[in-house]
Amino acid sequence: MGGEMMPPQEAGKDDVVLSWEGVDVLAVRLPQLADSLDHILAAMERKEGKPLAALDRKEKQEVVRALEARGAFSVRHGVETVAGALGVSRFTVYNYLNRDKAT
């Protein structure tokens, strides 16, 4: 997801501090959600072994389903980001999303 580890004394108010037996040992700075979506898309490309835009229609629909399950479309501009990665229009992404709800 692209988090950054740091010493606990450098943690900000939005960072997650991890403790072991009552002692703070590590802090993790989580990325913005939009950055996380980019990391998720890159991981999906690595898994597929090719750019997401090179997938066939059925595979792209599966990617959209997986991304929806992970909350990708709750991120601002999530549909546009996914559409760009898949090489399709926003309209197509919405069609993939609506198709699943119709069945």
Coordinates of all heavy atoms in Angstrom, one line a residue:
M1 N 0.8 -1.2 0.0 CA 0.0 0.0 0.0 C 0.9 1.3 0.0 O 0.3 2.3 -0.1 CB -0.9 0.0 1.2 CG -1.9 -1.1 1.2 SD -3.2 -0.9 0.0 CE -4.4 0.0 0.9
G2 N 2.1 1.1 0.2 CA 3.0 2.3 0.1 C 3.2 3.0 1.4 O 3.6 4.2 1.4
G3 N 3.0 2.4 2.5 CA 3.3 3.0 3.8 C 4.7 3.2 4.0 O 5.6 2.6 3.4
E4 N 5.1 4.2 4.9 CA 6.4 4.5 5.2 C 6.7 4.2 6.7 O 6.0 4.7 7.6 CB 6.7 6.0 4.9 CG 8.0 6.5 5.2 CD 8.1 8.0 5.0 OE1 7.2 8.6 4.4 OE2 9.1 8.6 5.5
M5 N 7.8 3.5 7.0 CA 8.1 3.2 8.4 C 9.1 4.3 8.9 O 9.9 4.8 8.1 CB 8.8 1.8 8.5 CG 7.8 0.7 8.2 SD 8.5 -0.9 8.5 CE 9.9 -0.9 7.3
M6 N 9.0 4.6 10.2 CA 9.9 5.6 10.8 C 10.0 5.3 12.3 O 9.2 4.6 12.8 CB 9.3 7.0 10.5 CG 8.0 7.3 11.2 SD 7.2 8.7 10.6 CE 6.8 8.3 8.9
P7 N 11.0 6.0 12.9 CA 11.0 5.9 14.4 C 9.8 6.4 15.0 O 9.3 7.4 14.5 CB 12.3 6.7 14.7 CG 13.1 6.8 13.5 CD 12.0 6.8 12.4
P8 N 9.4 5.9 16.1 CA 8.1 6.4 16.8 C 8.2 7.8 17.2 O 7.2 8.5 17.2 CB 7.9 5.4 17.9 CG 9.2 4.7 18.1 CD 9.9 4.8 16.9
Q9 N 9.3 8.3 17.5 CA 9.4 9.7 18.0 C 9.2 10.7 16.8 O 9.0 11.9 17.0 CB 10.8 10.0 18.7 CG 12.0 9.8 17.8 CD 12.6 8.4 17.9 OE1 11.9 7.4 18.2 NE2 13.8 8.2 17.5
E10 N 9.3 10.2 15.6 CA 9.0 11.1 14.4 C 7.6 11.0 13.9 O 7.2 11.6 12.9 CB 9.9 10.7 13.3 CG 11.4 10.9 13.5 CD 12.3 10.5 12.4 OE1 11.8 10.4 11.2 OE2 13.5 10.3 12.6
A11 N 6.7 10.3 14.6 CA 5.3 10.1 14.2 C 4.6 11.3 14.3 O 4.7 12.1 15.3 CB 4.7 9.0 15.0
G12 N 3.7 11.6 13.4 CA 2.8 12.7 13.4 C 1.4 12.2 14.0 O 1.2 11.0 14.3
K13 N 0.5 13.2 14.1 CA -0.8 12.8 14.7 C -1.6 11.8 13.9 O -2.4 11.1 14.4 CB -1.6 14.1 14.9 CG -2.1 14.8 13.7 CD -2.9 16.1 14.1 CE -3.3 16.8 12.8 NZ -4.4 16.2 12.1
D14 N -1.4 11.7 12.6 CA -2.1 10.8 11.7 C -1.4 9.5 11.5 O -1.9 8.6 10.8 CB -2.5 11.5 10.4 CG -3.4 12.6 10.5 OD1 -4.3 12.6 11.4 OD2 -3.3 13.6 9.7
D15 N -0.2 9.3 12.0 CA 0.6 8.1 11.8 C 0.1 7.0 12.8 O -0.4 7.3 13.9 CB 2.1 8.4 12.0 CG 2.6 9.4 10.9 OD1 2.0 9.4 9.8 OD2 3.5 10.1 11.2
V16 N 0.4 5.8 12.5 CA 0.1 4.7 13.4 C 1.4 4.2 14.1 O 2.4 3.9 13.5 CB -0.5 3.5 12.5 CG1 -0.7 2.3 13.4 CG2 -1.7 3.9 11.8
V17 N 1.3 4.3 15.4 CA 2.5 3.9 16.2 C 2.2 2.5 16.7 O 1.2 2.2 17.3 CB 2.7 4.9 17.4 CG1 3.8 4.4 18.3 CG2 2.9 6.3 16.9
L18 N 3.2 1.6 16.5 CA 3.1 0.2 16.9 C 3.9 0.0 18.2 O 5.0 0.5 18.3 CB 3.6 -0.7 15.8 CG 2.9 -0.5 14.5 CD1 3.6 -1.4 13.4 CD2 1.5 -0.9 14.5
S19 N 3.3 -0.7 19.1 CA 4.0 -0.9 20.4 C 4.2 -2.4 20.7 O 3.4 -3.2 20.2 CB 3.1 -0.4 21.6 OG 2.9 1.0 21.4
W20 N 5.2 -2.7 21.4 CA 5.5 -4.1 21.8 C 5.8 -4.1 23.3 O 6.7 -3.4 23.8 CB 6.7 -4.7 21.0 CG 7.1 -6.1 21.4 CD1 8.0 -6.5 22.2 CD2 6.4 -7.2 20.9 NE1 8.1 -7.8 22.3 CE2 7.1 -8.3 21.5 CE3 5.4 -7.5 20.0 CZ2 6.7 -9.6 21.3 CZ3 5.0 -8.8 19.8 CH2 5.7 -9.9 20.4
E21 N 4.9 -4.8 24.0 CA 5.0 -4.9 25.5 C 5.1 -3.5 26.1 O 5.9 -3.3 27.0 CB 6.2 -5.8 25.9 CG 6.0 -7.2 25.4 CD 7.1 -8.2 25.9 OE1 8.1 -7.7 26.4 OE2 6.9 -9.4 25.6
G22 N 4.2 -2.6 25.6 CA 4.1 -1.3 26.2 C 5.2 -0.3 25.7 O 5.2 0.8 26.2
V23 N 6.0 -0.7 24.8 CA 7.1 0.2 24.3 C 6.8 0.5 22.9 O 6.6 -0.4 22.1 CB 8.5 -0.4 24.5 CG1 9.6 0.5 23.9 CG2 8.8 -0.7 26.0
D24 N 6.8 1.8 22.5 CA 6.6 2.2 21.1 C 7.9 1.8 20.3 O 9.0 2.2 20.7 CB 6.3 3.7 21.0 CG 5.0 4.1 21.6 OD1 4.2 3.3 21.8 OD2 4.9 5.3 21.9
V25 N 7.7 1.0 19.3 CA 8.9 0.5 18.6 C 8.9 1.0 17.1 O 10.0 1.0 16.5 CB 8.9 -1.0 18.6 CG1 9.2 -1.5 20.0 CG2 7.7 -1.7 18.0
L26 N 7.8 1.4 16.5 CA 7.8 1.7 15.1 C 6.6 2.6 14.8 O 5.5 2.4 15.4 CB 7.7 0.4 14.3 CG 7.7 0.6 12.8 CD1 9.0 1.0 12.3 CD2 7.3 -0.8 12.2
A27 N 6.7 3.5 13.9 CA 5.6 4.3 13.4 C 5.4 4.0 11.9 O 6.4 3.8 11.2 CB 5.8 5.8 13.7
V28 N 4.2 4.0 11.5 CA 3.9 3.8 10.1 C 3.1 5.0 9.6 O 2.0 5.3 10.2 CB 3.1 2.5 9.8 CG1 2.8 2.3 8.3 CG2 3.9 1.3 10.3
R29 N 3.5 5.6 8.5 CA 2.8 6.7 7.9 C 2.1 6.1 6.7 O 2.7 5.6 5.7 CB 3.7 7.8 7.4 CG 3.0 9.0 6.7 CD 3.8 10.2 6.7 NE 4.0 10.7 8.1 CZ 5.1 11.3 8.5 NH1 6.1 11.6 7.7 NH2 5.2 11.7 9.7
L30 N 0.8 6.1 6.7 CA 0.0 5.5 5.6 C -0.2 6.6 4.5 O -0.3 7.8 4.8 CB -1.4 5.1 6.1 CG -1.4 4.1 7.3 CD1 -2.8 3.8 7.8 CD2 -0.8 2.8 6.7
P31 N -0.2 6.1 3.3 CA -0.3 7.0 2.1 C -1.7 7.5 2.0 O -2.6 7.0 2.6 CB 0.1 6.2 0.9 CG -0.4 4.8 1.4 CD -0.1 4.7 2.8
Q32 N -1.9 8.6 1.3 CA -3.2 9.1 1.0 C -3.9 8.0 0.2 O -3.3 7.2 -0.5 CB -3.1 10.4 0.1 CG -2.4 11.5 0.8 CD -3.2 12.0 2.0 OE1 -4.5 12.1 2.0 NE2 -2.6 12.2 3.1
L33 N -5.2 7.9 0.3 CA -6.0 6.9 -0.4 C -5.7 6.9 -1.9 O -5.6 5.8 -2.5 CB -7.5 7.1 -0.2 CG -8.0 6.7 1.2 CD1 -9.4 7.0 1.4 CD2 -7.7 5.2 1.5
A34 N -5.6 8.0 -2.5 CA -5.4 8.1 -4.0 C -4.0 7.4 -4.3 O -3.9 6.7 -5.3 CB -5.4 9.5 -4.5
D35 N -3.0 7.6 -3.5 CA -1.7 7.0 -3.7 C -1.9 5.5 -3.5 O -1.2 4.7 -4.3 CB -0.7 7.5 -2.7 CG -0.4 9.0 -2.9 OD1 -0.6 9.5 -4.1 OD2 0.1 9.7 -2.0
S36 N -2.7 5.1 -2.6 CA -2.9 3.6 -2.4 C -3.5 3.0 -3.6 O -3.1 1.9 -4.0 CB -3.8 3.4 -1.2 OG -3.2 3.8 0.0
L37 N -4.4 3.7 -4.3 CA -5.0 3.1 -5.5 C -4.0 2.9 -6.6 O -4.0 1.9 -7.2 CB -6.1 4.1 -6.0 CG -6.9 3.6 -7.3 CD1 -7.4 2.2 -7.1 CD2 -8.0 4.6 -7.6
D38 N -3.1 3.9 -6.7 CA -2.0 3.7 -7.7 C -1.1 2.4 -7.3 O -0.8 1.7 -8.2 CB -1.1 4.9 -7.7 CG -1.8 6.1 -8.3 OD1 -2.7 5.9 -9.1 OD2 -1.4 7.3 -8.0
H39 N -0.9 2.2 -6.0 CA -0.1 1.0 -5.6 C -0.9 -0.2 -5.9 O -0.3 -1.2 -6.4 CB 0.2 1.1 -4.1 CG 1.3 2.1 -3.8 ND1 2.6 1.9 -4.0 CD2 1.2 3.3 -3.3 CE1 3.4 2.9 -3.7 NE2 2.5 3.8 -3.2
I40 N -2.2 -0.2 -5.7 CA -3.0 -1.4 -5.9 C -3.0 -1.7 -7.4 O -2.9 -2.9 -7.8 CB -4.5 -1.2 -5.4 CG1 -4.5 -1.1 -3.9 CG2 -5.4 -2.3 -5.9 CD1 -5.8 -0.6 -3.3
L41 N -3.2 -0.7 -8.3 CA -3.2 -0.9 -9.7 C -1.8 -1.5 -10.2 O -1.8 -2.4 -11.0 CB -3.5 0.4 -10.4 CG -5.0 0.9 -10.3 CD1 -5.1 2.3 -10.8 CD2 -5.9 -0.1 -11.0
A42 N -0.7 -0.9 -9.6 CA 0.6 -1.4 -10.0 C 0.8 -2.9 -9.6 O 1.3 -3.7 -10.4 CB 1.7 -0.6 -9.4
A43 N 0.2 -3.2 -8.4 CA 0.3 -4.6 -8.0 C -0.5 -5.5 -8.8 O -0.1 -6.7 -9.2 CB -0.1 -4.7 -6.5
M44 N -1.7 -5.1 -9.3 CA -2.5 -5.9 -10.2 C -1.8 -6.1 -11.5 O -1.9 -7.2 -12.1 CB -3.8 -5.2 -10.4 CG -4.7 -5.2 -9.1 SD -6.3 -4.5 -9.4 CE -7.4 -5.9 -9.2
E45 N -1.1 -5.1 -12.0 CA -0.4 -5.2 -13.3 C 0.7 -6.3 -13.1 O 1.0 -7.1 -14.0 CB 0.2 -3.9 -13.7 CG -0.8 -3.0 -14.4 CD -0.2 -1.9 -15.2 OE1 1.0 -1.5 -15.0 OE2 -0.9 -1.3 -16.0
R46 N 1.5 -6.2 -12.0 CA 2.5 -7.2 -11.7 C 2.0 -8.6 -11.7 O 2.5 -9.5 -12.3 CB 3.3 -6.8 -10.4 CG 4.3 -5.7 -10.6 CD 5.2 -5.6 -9.3 NE 4.5 -5.4 -8.1 CZ 4.0 -4.3 -7.6 NH1 4.2 -3.2 -8.3 NH2 3.4 -4.2 -6.5
K47 N 0.8 -8.7 -11.0 CA 0.2 -10.0 -10.9 C -0.2 -10.6 -12.3 O -0.1 -11.8 -12.6 CB -1.0 -10.0 -10.0 CG -1.8 -11.3 -9.8 CD -3.0 -11.1 -9.0 CE -3.8 -12.3 -9.0 NZ -5.2 -12.1 -8.6
E48 N -0.8 -9.7 -13.1 CA -1.2 -10.1 -14.5 C 0.0 -10.3 -15.4 O -0.2 -11.0 -16.4 CB -2.2 -9.1 -15.1 CG -3.5 -9.0 -14.3 CD -4.4 -10.2 -14.4 OE1 -4.2 -11.0 -15.4 OE2 -5.2 -10.4 -13.5
G49 N 1.1 -9.7 -15.1 CA 2.2 -9.8 -16.0 C 2.2 -9.0 -17.3 O 3.0 -9.2 -18.2
K50 N 1.2 -8.0 -17.3 CA 1.1 -7.1 -18.4 C 0.3 -5.9 -18.0 O -0.4 -6.0 -17.0 CB 0.4 -7.9 -19.6 CG -0.9 -8.4 -19.3 CD -1.5 -9.2 -20.5 CE -2.7 -10.0 -20.2 NZ -3.2 -10.8 -21.3
P51 N 0.3 -4.9 -18.8 CA -0.5 -3.7 -18.5 C -2.0 -4.0 -18.4 O -2.4 -4.9 -19.2 CB -0.2 -2.7 -19.6 CG 1.1 -3.2 -20.2 CD 1.1 -4.7 -20.0
L52 N -2.7 -3.4 -17.5 CA -4.1 -3.7 -17.3 C -4.9 -3.3 -18.6 O -5.9 -4.0 -18.9 CB -4.7 -2.9 -16.1 CG -4.1 -3.3 -14.8 CD1 -4.7 -2.5 -13.7 CD2 -4.3 -4.8 -14.5
A53 N -4.4 -2.4 -19.3 CA -5.0 -2.0 -20.6 C -5.0 -3.1 -21.6 O -5.8 -3.1 -22.6 CB -4.4 -0.7 -21.2
A54 N -4.0 -4.0 -21.5 CA -3.9 -5.1 -22.4 C -4.8 -6.3 -22.1 O -4.8 -7.3 -22.9 CB -2.4 -5.6 -22.5
L55 N -5.5 -6.3 -21.0 CA -6.4 -7.4 -20.6 C -7.6 -7.4 -21.6 O -8.0 -6.3 -22.1 CB -6.9 -7.2 -19.2 CG -5.8 -7.2 -18.1 CD1 -6.4 -6.9 -16.8 CD2 -5.1 -8.5 -18.1
D56 N -8.3 -8.5 -21.7 CA -9.5 -8.6 -22.5 C -10.7 -8.1 -21.6 O -10.5 -7.8 -20.4 CB -9.8 -10.0 -23.0 CG -10.1 -11.0 -21.9 OD1 -10.6 -10.7 -20.9 OD2 -9.8 -12.2 -22.2
R57 N -11.8 -7.9 -22.2 CA -13.0 -7.3 -21.5 C -13.4 -8.1 -20.2 O -13.6 -7.4 -19.2 CB -14.2 -7.3 -22.5 CG -15.4 -6.6 -21.9 CD -16.6 -6.5 -22.9 NE -16.9 -7.7 -23.5 CZ -17.8 -8.6 -23.0 NH1 -18.3 -8.4 -21.8 NH2 -18.1 -9.7 -23.7
K58 N -13.4 -9.4 -20.3 CA -13.8 -10.1 -19.1 C -12.8 -9.9 -18.0 O -13.2 -9.8 -16.8 CB -13.9 -11.6 -19.5 CG -14.3 -12.5 -18.3 CD -14.5 -13.9 -18.7 CE -14.9 -14.8 -17.5 NZ -14.9 -16.2 -17.8
E59 N -11.5 -9.9 -18.3 CA -10.5 -9.7 -17.3 C -10.6 -8.3 -16.7 O -10.4 -8.1 -15.5 CB -9.1 -9.9 -17.9 CG -8.8 -11.3 -18.3 CD -7.5 -11.5 -19.1 OE1 -7.2 -10.6 -20.0 OE2 -6.8 -12.5 -18.9
K60 N -10.9 -7.3 -17.5 CA -11.1 -6.0 -17.0 C -12.3 -5.9 -16.1 O -12.2 -5.2 -15.1 CB -11.2 -5.0 -18.2 CG -9.9 -4.7 -19.0 CD -10.1 -3.8 -20.1 CE -8.8 -3.6 -20.9 NZ -9.0 -2.7 -22.0
Q61 N -13.3 -6.6 -16.4 CA -14.5 -6.6 -15.5 C -14.1 -7.2 -14.2 O -14.6 -6.8 -13.1 CB -15.6 -7.4 -16.2 CG -16.2 -6.7 -17.4 CD -17.2 -7.5 -18.2 OE1 -17.2 -8.8 -18.1 NE2 -18.1 -6.9 -18.9
E62 N -13.3 -8.3 -14.2 CA -12.9 -8.9 -13.0 C -12.0 -7.9 -12.1 O -12.1 -7.9 -10.9 CB -12.1 -10.2 -13.3 CG -13.0 -11.3 -13.8 CD -12.2 -12.5 -14.3 OE1 -10.9 -12.5 -14.2 OE2 -12.8 -13.4 -14.9
V63 N -11.2 -7.2 -12.8 CA -10.3 -6.1 -12.1 C -11.3 -5.1 -11.5 O -11.1 -4.8 -10.3 CB -9.4 -5.5 -13.1 CG1 -8.8 -4.2 -12.5 CG2 -8.3 -6.5 -13.5
V64 N -12.3 -4.7 -12.2 CA -13.2 -3.7 -11.6 C -13.9 -4.2 -10.4 O -14.1 -3.5 -9.4 CB -14.2 -3.2 -12.7 CG1 -15.3 -2.4 -12.1 CG2 -13.4 -2.3 -13.8
R65 N -14.3 -5.5 -10.5 CA -15.0 -6.1 -9.3 C -14.1 -6.2 -8.1 O -14.5 -5.9 -7.0 CB -15.5 -7.5 -9.7 CG -16.8 -7.6 -10.4 CD -17.4 -9.0 -10.4 NE -16.6 -9.9 -11.2 CZ -16.7 -10.0 -12.5 NH1 -17.6 -9.3 -13.2 NH2 -16.0 -10.9 -13.2
A66 N -12.8 -6.6 -8.4 CA -11.8 -6.7 -7.3 C -11.6 -5.3 -6.7 O -11.5 -5.1 -5.5 CB -10.6 -7.3 -7.8
L67 N -11.5 -4.3 -7.5 CA -11.2 -2.9 -7.0 C -12.4 -2.4 -6.3 O -12.2 -1.7 -5.3 CB -10.9 -2.0 -8.2 CG -9.5 -2.3 -8.9 CD1 -9.4 -1.5 -10.2 CD2 -8.4 -1.9 -7.9
E68 N -13.6 -2.7 -6.7 CA -14.8 -2.2 -6.0 C -14.8 -2.9 -4.6 O -15.1 -2.2 -3.6 CB -16.1 -2.6 -6.8 CG -17.3 -2.1 -6.1 CD -18.6 -2.4 -6.8 OE1 -18.7 -3.4 -7.5 OE2 -19.6 -1.6 -6.6
A69 N -14.5 -4.1 -4.5 CA -14.5 -4.8 -3.2 C -13.4 -4.2 -2.3 O -13.6 -4.2 -1.1 CB -14.2 -6.3 -3.4
R70 N -12.4 -3.6 -2.8 CA -11.4 -3.0 -2.0 C -11.6 -1.5 -1.8 O -10.8 -0.8 -1.2 CB -10.0 -3.1 -2.7 CG -9.6 -4.6 -2.7 CD -8.3 -4.8 -3.4 NE -7.2 -4.5 -2.4 CZ -5.9 -4.7 -2.7 NH1 -5.6 -5.3 -3.8 NH2 -5.0 -4.3 -1.8
G71 N -12.8 -1.0 -2.3 CA -13.1 0.4 -2.0 C -12.5 1.4 -2.9 O -12.5 2.6 -2.6
A72 N -12.0 1.0 -4.0 CA -11.3 1.9 -4.9 C -12.1 3.0 -5.5 O -11.6 4.1 -5.8 CB -10.7 1.1 -6.1
F73 N -13.4 2.8 -5.5 CA -14.3 3.8 -6.1 C -14.8 4.8 -5.1 O -15.6 5.7 -5.4 CB -15.4 3.1 -7.0 CG -14.8 2.3 -8.0 CD1 -14.9 0.9 -8.0 CD2 -14.1 2.9 -9.1 CE1 -14.3 0.1 -8.9 CE2 -13.5 2.1 -10.0 CZ -13.6 0.7 -10.0
S74 N -14.4 4.6 -3.9 CA -14.8 5.6 -2.8 C -13.7 6.8 -2.8 O -13.9 7.8 -2.2 CB -14.9 5.0 -1.5 OG -13.7 4.4 -1.1
V75 N -12.6 6.5 -3.5 CA -11.5 7.5 -3.6 C -11.9 8.6 -4.6 O -12.4 8.2 -5.7 CB -10.2 6.8 -4.0 CG1 -9.1 7.8 -4.2 CG2 -9.8 5.8 -3.0
R76 N -11.6 9.8 -4.3 CA -11.9 10.9 -5.3 C -11.2 10.6 -6.6 O -10.0 10.3 -6.6 CB -11.5 12.2 -4.7 CG -11.9 13.4 -5.6 CD -11.6 14.7 -4.9 NE -12.2 15.7 -5.6 CZ -11.6 16.9 -5.9 NH1 -10.4 17.1 -5.4 NH2 -12.1 17.8 -6.6
H77 N -11.8 10.7 -7.7 CA -11.3 10.4 -9.0 C -10.9 8.9 -9.2 O -10.2 8.6 -10.1 CB -10.1 11.3 -9.4 CG -10.4 12.7 -9.3 ND1 -11.3 13.3 -10.2 CD2 -10.0 13.7 -8.5 CE1 -11.4 14.6 -9.9 NE2 -10.6 14.9 -8.9
G78 N -11.5 8.0 -8.4 CA -11.1 6.6 -8.5 C -11.6 6.0 -9.8 O -10.8 5.3 -10.4
V79 N -12.8 6.4 -10.3 CA -13.3 5.8 -11.6 C -12.3 6.3 -12.7 O -12.0 5.5 -13.6 CB -14.7 6.2 -11.8 CG1 -15.1 5.9 -13.2 CG2 -15.6 5.6 -10.8
E80 N -12.0 7.6 -12.7 CA -11.1 8.1 -13.7 C -9.7 7.4 -13.7 O -9.2 7.1 -14.8 CB -10.9 9.6 -13.6 CG -12.2 10.4 -13.9 CD -13.1 10.6 -12.7 OE1 -12.9 9.9 -11.6 OE2 -14.1 11.4 -12.7
T81 N -9.2 7.2 -12.5 CA -7.9 6.6 -12.4 C -7.9 5.1 -12.9 O -7.0 4.7 -13.6 CB -7.4 6.6 -10.9 OG1 -7.4 8.0 -10.5 CG2 -6.1 5.9 -10.7
V82 N -9.0 4.4 -12.5 CA -9.1 3.0 -13.0 C -9.3 3.0 -14.5 O -8.7 2.2 -15.2 CB -10.2 2.3 -12.2 CG1 -10.5 1.0 -12.8 CG2 -9.8 2.2 -10.7
A83 N -10.2 3.9 -15.0 CA -10.4 3.9 -16.4 C -9.1 4.1 -17.2 O -8.9 3.4 -18.2 CB -11.5 5.0 -16.7
G84 N -8.3 5.0 -16.7 CA -7.0 5.3 -17.4 C -6.1 4.1 -17.4 O -5.5 3.8 -18.4
A85 N -6.1 3.4 -16.2 CA -5.2 2.2 -16.1 C -5.7 1.1 -17.0 O -4.9 0.3 -17.6 CB -5.2 1.7 -14.7
L86 N -7.0 1.0 -17.2 CA -7.6 -0.1 -18.0 C -7.7 0.3 -19.5 O -8.0 -0.6 -20.3 CB -9.0 -0.4 -17.5 CG -9.1 -1.1 -16.2 CD1 -10.6 -1.3 -15.8 CD2 -8.4 -2.4 -16.1
G87 N -7.5 1.6 -19.8 CA -7.5 2.0 -21.2 C -9.0 2.0 -21.7 O -9.2 1.7 -22.9
V88 N -9.9 2.3 -20.8 CA -11.3 2.4 -21.2 C -11.9 3.8 -20.7 O -11.2 4.5 -20.0 CB -12.2 1.3 -20.6 CG1 -11.6 -0.1 -21.1 CG2 -12.1 1.3 -19.1
S89 N -13.1 4.1 -21.1 CA -13.7 5.3 -20.6 C -14.3 5.1 -19.2 O -14.5 4.0 -18.8 CB -14.8 5.7 -21.6 OG -15.9 4.8 -21.5
R90 N -14.6 6.3 -18.6 CA -15.3 6.2 -17.3 C -16.7 5.5 -17.5 O -17.1 4.8 -16.6 CB -15.6 7.7 -16.8 CG -14.4 8.4 -16.4 CD -14.7 9.8 -15.9 NE -16.0 10.2 -16.4 CZ -16.7 11.2 -16.1 NH1 -16.2 12.1 -15.3 NH2 -17.8 11.5 -16.7
F91 N -17.3 5.8 -18.6 CA -18.6 5.2 -18.9 C -18.5 3.7 -18.9 O -19.4 3.0 -18.3 CB -19.1 5.7 -20.3 CG -20.4 5.2 -20.7 CD1 -21.6 5.6 -20.1 CD2 -20.5 4.2 -21.6 CE1 -22.8 5.1 -20.5 CE2 -21.8 3.7 -22.0 CZ -22.9 4.1 -21.4
T92 N -17.4 3.2 -19.5 CA -17.2 1.7 -19.5 C -17.1 1.2 -18.1 O -17.6 0.1 -17.7 CB -16.0 1.3 -20.3 OG1 -16.3 1.8 -21.7 CG2 -15.7 -0.1 -20.3
V93 N -16.3 1.9 -17.2 CA -16.1 1.4 -15.8 C -17.5 1.4 -15.1 O -17.8 0.4 -14.4 CB -15.1 2.3 -15.1 CG1 -15.1 1.9 -13.6 CG2 -13.7 2.1 -15.7
Y94 N -18.3 2.5 -15.3 CA -19.6 2.5 -14.7 C -20.5 1.4 -15.2 O -21.2 0.8 -14.5 CB -20.3 3.8 -14.9 CG -19.7 4.9 -14.1 CD1 -19.1 6.1 -14.6 CD2 -19.9 4.9 -12.7 CE1 -18.7 7.1 -13.8 CE2 -19.4 5.9 -11.9 CZ -18.8 7.0 -12.4 OH -18.3 8.0 -11.6
N95 N -20.3 1.0 -16.5 CA -21.1 -0.1 -17.1 C -20.7 -1.4 -16.4 O -21.5 -2.2 -16.1 CB -20.9 -0.2 -18.6 CG -21.8 0.7 -19.3 OD1 -22.8 1.2 -18.8 ND2 -21.4 1.0 -20.6
Y96 N -19.4 -1.6 -16.2 CA -18.9 -2.8 -15.5 C -19.5 -2.9 -14.1 O -19.9 -3.9 -13.6 CB -17.4 -2.8 -15.4 CG -16.7 -3.0 -16.8 CD1 -15.3 -2.8 -16.8 CD2 -17.3 -3.4 -17.9 CE1 -14.6 -3.0 -18.0 CE2 -16.6 -3.6 -19.1 CZ -15.3 -3.4 -19.2 OH -14.6 -3.6 -20.3
L97 N -19.5 -1.7 -13.4 CA -20.0 -1.7 -12.0 C -21.5 -2.0 -12.0 O -22.0 -2.8 -11.2 CB -19.7 -0.3 -11.4 CG -18.3 -0.1 -11.1 CD1 -18.1 1.4 -10.7 CD2 -17.8 -0.9 -9.9
N98 N -22.2 -1.4 -12.9 CA -23.7 -1.6 -13.0 C -24.1 -2.9 -13.4 O -25.1 -3.5 -13.0 CB -24.3 -0.5 -13.9 CG -24.3 0.9 -13.2 OD1 -24.2 1.0 -12.0 ND2 -24.2 1.9 -14.1
R99 N -23.3 -3.5 -14.3 CA -23.6 -4.9 -14.8 C -23.6 -5.9 -13.6 O -24.4 -6.8 -13.6 CB -22.5 -5.3 -15.8 CG -22.7 -6.7 -16.4 CD -21.8 -6.9 -17.5 NE -22.1 -8.2 -18.0 CZ -21.2 -9.2 -18.2 NH1 -20.0 -9.0 -17.9 NH2 -21.6 -10.3 -18.7
D100 N -22.6 -5.7 -12.7 CA -22.6 -6.6 -11.6 C -23.8 -6.5 -10.7 O -24.3 -7.4 -10.1 CB -21.3 -6.4 -10.7 CG -20.1 -6.9 -11.4 OD1 -20.2 -7.8 -12.3 OD2 -19.0 -6.5 -11.0
K101 N -24.3 -5.2 -10.5 CA -25.4 -5.0 -9.7 C -26.7 -5.5 -10.3 O -27.7 -5.8 -9.6 CB -25.5 -3.5 -9.4 CG -24.4 -3.1 -8.5 CD -24.5 -1.6 -8.2 CE -23.5 -1.2 -7.2 NZ -22.3 -0.6 -7.7
A102 N -26.8 -5.6 -11.6 CA -28.0 -6.1 -12.4 C -28.1 -7.6 -12.3 O -29.2 -8.1 -12.5 CB -27.9 -5.6 -13.8
T103 N -27.0 -8.3 -12.1 CA -27.1 -9.8 -12.1 C -27.3 -10.3 -10.7 O -27.2 -9.7 -9.7 CB -25.8 -10.4 -12.7 OG1 -24.7 -9.9 -11.9 CG2 -25.7 -10.1 -14.1

